[in-house]
Amino acid sequence: MKTAIRSGFAIAILSLATINLHAQDVLSYVDPNIGTAHSRWFFYTPAAVPYGMAKLAPSTNGHYGNASGWEAVGYDTRHNSIEGFVHFHEWQVGGVSVMPATGELKIKPGELDKPGSGYRSHFDRKNQIAQPGYYKVLLDDYHITAELTATKHVGFHRYTFPKNDRSRIIFDIGNTQGESGEVRDAGVKMTDATHFEGYVITYPKYVKKYDPDGQVQMCFYGEVSKAPASVGSFNNEGIKQQSKEAKGKGAGIFLNYKTQANEAIELKVGLSYTSIANAKANLAAEATGLTFDKAKQQAQATWRTELGKIMVQGGDRVSKVKFYTGLFHGLLGRGIANDVNGSFPRHDGTIGRLPKDKQGRFSYNFYNTDAIWGAYWNLTQLWALAYPSHYNDYVHTQLEIYKERSWFGDGIANSNFVSGVGTNFVGLTIAAAYQVGIRDYDVNLAYQAIRANELSGKDRKEGSGKMDVDAFVKYGYSPYLDGDYNTDSTGSHFSASHTLEYSFSAFAAAQMAKNLGKTDDYKLLIKNSNGWRYIFDKDQKLMRPKRADGSFIDKFDPAEPWRGFQEGNAIQYTYFVPQNPKGLVDAVGKDEFNTRLNNIFETSENDGFSGGKTIDAFAGIKSLYNHGNQPCLHTSWLFNFSGKPWLTQKWTRAICDEFYGIEPIHGYGYGQDEDQGQLGSWYVMASLGLFDVKGFTDFRPIVELSSPVFNSANIALGNGKKLNIQAINNSKTNVYIQSASFNGKPLNNCWLYRDELMKGGKLVLRMGSKPNEAWGVKVPPPSVQ
């Protein structure tokens, strides 16, 4: 029964067989291969546990590096050879590659288009298995079966060799992997017949740009199940036979074996960002006596439990695959950077230590994380619904950063600032956490940091973003600057999108100030939240960049990206007023607002709600609507505020059905920027029919309702309550809500307060094929609180 409760089933008695079957079904709906064309470095890591440090995956092009620091690299479904299996996969963090081989010794991975040029091997995807917590593939060139799994801090490998007198395992440590950037130093050695250790220190591009005195250190300590017959080493200077140690750039070792047919050799590799000693401690704590099969079983049991917190029924298999793969990515995303003893890396090279609670346990985890830009419309809402411990970890991570650096960091790689968007939504994210009751931290410290993030540019570090915040506070908007994407204390080339973003985050800070009784701060911040009005062109009824002298920019093309708007254009960003939808609707005019926005979606549907079938992360930034990137992710929900909630129901359901796919190429659109679980989390929330345009930043947050994809959903809420959502008469065509009730009482609004929803119970939505234009329109969601 504990399993049934944990998984969120609303059934009193189930046989053990039924529970196991249902749990296995949840796992079988996850396909990690979805969206692996043009996917980011951290996207494809099946051999991992939720938010683990050890994220093992095959690489097809990892050693090519990443010239711009963020584009697609690592594993691409269009490639047909594997160059190694890498342990670290985070935003700007990558390293420690292992590859089994036979035959002639090769110490370079070789090139994709040159077979035999290195130790990489061809493979056939029919011989590949990727599941949550497990990966398996046959390396055709060597007839070796490779298998991977993991605990939080330990990577497990099992390589099954053919009969061969020249079998080996190659540790390629000192070369670029994915987003790692330049390798500054590396070392690896055998410490005895079966144990090895090492480190690699890298200088990723975004560390170099935003935190130039920083670096990323990755350490490991491991054991191999069979002592090698001999060991050799290599680095950029060449190969040394009968050598057990290598140092410097290009450092690596190879373990030589004579193997029998179907002989398996296993590795356990403890990882750490702080020291080899802590990597060894992580290995001992998590892997002592743990076999590969047991580790796999344990990893997949963890995934079953976590995925099982939201159980959906009804709907077709395709929708369930989208749902659970999206949830998988949402729970895989960020990764812990602390060790089992609470150590975590600081920017200055020292080691921090997490505090313990009254029970002697560590109170939270410290994360490496991509920017939180846009995550208030997906990931944080998912965390707040059913996974609040992850939200709590994120808040504490940023407070640790603030205590060391005096600023929030948005994107974080080993306490280095690596945000690539030049803004900073950490304050908003923490303010929202406070509003949903996640408050297990120093609230006064958090507010102090949030206030500074919104109002202060003095001594601000570039990597903390918002370098134009002083200008925003002075003018009420960020003035437009000509030039090559520059931002300084006088304004920004991305001035219009910054103005809209800072207005939203000022609103979030204002609500927290109001909650804390800080009246003067509230008045100032709520004033700043109206910054969007300064750049609203009343003639064109579009957001338009404005110069410091108060004039709008000339030669204005509303569809042009990158001029005043980051990763988007004026048409897309005009709807970026989540803190005051009614204000925007009134400024445009309700009828024109609805007509224009509905036309945008009708046109965008022809391009799959993004950039069509172009495989590129920025394929949709010139389009009218772009679901493949963050700035648009709330737009389809705005009809709830403009008197036509049935259009929110229509278009959110259409996006779920058409933008999202289950193929390696069409996964999250074609040109996607999934950002560590964001687009997957959006699908989860939208398919449940739950969302908040304001990202829970309101004084009393709400939840807006739309068309659920599934007939039934049972959610184990993060507060221990249960929520059941029933969609009666639901189908592919019955996408419109006809009526609703919550816990037996009629629900006539297209929204309800979040604190009411979190009490749990039953939400019933009756669906039909035609809009009920009388439902949900009498009392719109509160726009200003």
Side-chain angles (χ1 to χ4, degrees), residues 318 322 326 608-609 627 633 652 654-663 666-669 678-684 686:
V318 167
K322 292 179 187 180
F609 299 105
H627 199 81
L633 296 181
T652 59
I655 293 167
C656 286
D657 288 346
E658 298 172 36
F659 173 82
Y660 292 86
I662 61 167
E663 301 84 31
H666 176 204
Y668 298 98
Q678 286 206 38
L679 293 180
S681 297
W682 191 96
Y683 183 92
V684 171

Side-chain angles (χ1 to χ4, degrees), residues 770-781:
K770 296 181 179 180
N772 177 3
E773 298 185 7
W775 182 84
V777 296
K778 187 175 182 180
V779 181

Side-chain angles (χ1 to χ4, degrees), residues 490-544:
T490 67
S492 174
H493 187 73
F494 300 133
S495 61
S497 58
H498 282 193
T499 297
L500 297 168
E501 291 169 343
Y502 300 174
S503 298
F504 183 25
S505 57
F507 172 85
Q511 301 309 306
M512 186 173 180
K514 182 179 181 181
N515 212 319
L516 295 174
K518 299 181 182 296
T519 304
D520 290 342
D521 282 357
Y522 170 76
K523 290 178 180 178
L524 173 60
L525 290 162
I526 207 69
K527 174 178 175 290
N528 290 350
S529 76
N530 285 301
W532 65 275
R533 295 186 184 276
Y534 287 95
I535 64 166
F536 183 75
D537 184 335
K538 295 179 181 178
D539 294 328
Q540 298 196 42
K541 296 184 178 179
L542 290 167
M543 300 299 173
R544 184 172 177 178

Side-chain angles (χ1 to χ4, degrees), residues 18-33:
T18 302
I19 294 172
N20 288 338
L21 176 62
H22 213 121
Q24 180 60 50
D25 284 346
V26 174
L27 210 63
S28 70
Y29 289 128
V30 178
D31 183 357
N33 295 299

